[in-house]
C-alpha cells in the first residue's frame, strides 16, 4: 500500500516506475507514437507544458500540418516512409515542408526490412526540391542530436563510434 507523500517529501520509490525516471529527469526523450501525426500537438503540449518532458514524436500521417505547432513546443520528430505523399493531384514533400517550418527531424525505416526503402525515399524527396545537405544530416547526425548521443555517433569524426561500409 502506497501513501501520499507530504509536501517537499519524495514519493515512495516503486520499481515498476523506475524505467521512466530518465524521461522525467530529462536524460532521455519520451518517444511518443501517433497514428496520425497531424493530431499530435494537443498531447505533446501536455507532456511538455505540464510534465516538462523532452518529446520526440513518431508515426504516420501529414506531419507538415502540425510542424509549426510542434516546433513552437520544442519537440523533434522521426519521419517514416512515404516521404512524398499525394494531396489531390499534387504531391507533398514532407521533409521539405517540415524543414521549412523549422521542426528538427530525422528518419526511421520502421523496421530492419524497411531500411532498403529509406535511402531511395530520402533521395526522391531531395530530388523533389529538398536540400541534399539537409537530407544527409537527417539520415545521420540529426538522429544522434535528437537523442543526445551526437558526442559518440552520427558523424565521421575522430573518437566517435562508427561502422563504415563502402560500396561500389
Amino acid at each position: 500500500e502506497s501513501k501520499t507523500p507530504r509536501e517537499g517529501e519524495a514519493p515512495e520509490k516503486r520499481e515498476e516506475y523506475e524505467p521512466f525516471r530518465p524521461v522525467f529527469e530529462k536524460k532521455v526523450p519520451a518517444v511518443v507514437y501517433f497514428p496520425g501525426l497531424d493530431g499530435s500537438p494537443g498531447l505533446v503540449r501536455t507532456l511538455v507544458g505540464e510534465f516538462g518532458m523532452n518529446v520526440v514524436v513518431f508515426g504516420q500521417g501529414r506531419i507538415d500540418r502540425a510542424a509549426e505547432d510542434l516546433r513552437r513546443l520544442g519537440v523533434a520528430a522521426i519521419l517514416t516512409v512515404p516521404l512524398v505523399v499525394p494531396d489531390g493531384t499534387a504531391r507533398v514533400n514532407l521533409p521539405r515542408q517540415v524543414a521549412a517550418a523549422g521542426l528538427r527531424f530525422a528518419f526511421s525505416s520502421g523496421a530492419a526490412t524497411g531500411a532498403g526503402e529509406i535511402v531511395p525515399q530520402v533521395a526522391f524527396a531531395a530530388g523533389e526540391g529538398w536540400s541534399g545537405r539537409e537530407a544527409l544530416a537527417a539520415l545521420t547526425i540529426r538522429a544522434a542530436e535528437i537523442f543526445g548521443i551526437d558526442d559518440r555517433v552520427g558523424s565521421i569524426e575522430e573518437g566517435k563510434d562508427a561502422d563504415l561500409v563502402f560500396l561500389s
Side-chain angles (χ1 to χ4, degrees), residues 97-120:
Q97 298 292 58
V98 172
L103 180 64
R104 291 181 317 134
F105 66 94
F107 296 113
S108 171
S109 62
T113 57
E117 288 182 47
I118 196 73
V119 173

Side-chain angles (χ1 to χ4, degrees), residues 6-8 40 46 50 52 57 66-67 88 131 136-138 145:
R6 290 188 215 142
E7 191 172 330
S40 61
T46 300
E50 287 186 38
V57 297
S131 162
L136 181 60
E145 290 169 351

Side-chain angles (χ1 to χ4, degrees), residues 14-80:
R14 297 192 46 194
E15 288 302 317
E16 64 268 27
Y17 298 143
E18 284 305 300
F20 299 102
R21 182 175 298 280
V23 172
F24 286 99
E25 290 176 345
K26 299 181 189 174
K27 292 179 181 173
V28 298
V31 179
V32 184
Y33 175 79
F34 291 94
L37 281 168
D38 52 333
S40 61
L43 175 60
V44 171
R45 195 172 291 110
T46 300
L47 295 175
V48 171
E50 287 186 38
F51 298 105
M53 289 183 177
N54 175 10
V55 175
V56 176
V57 297
F58 172 68
Q60 302 293 318
R62 294 288 304 275
I63 190 168
D64 59 312
R65 294 176 176 157
E68 279 194 38
D69 288 337
L70 293 170
R71 178 193 49 79
R72 280 194 288 274
L73 290 168
V75 305
I78 304 297
L79 276 60
T80 60

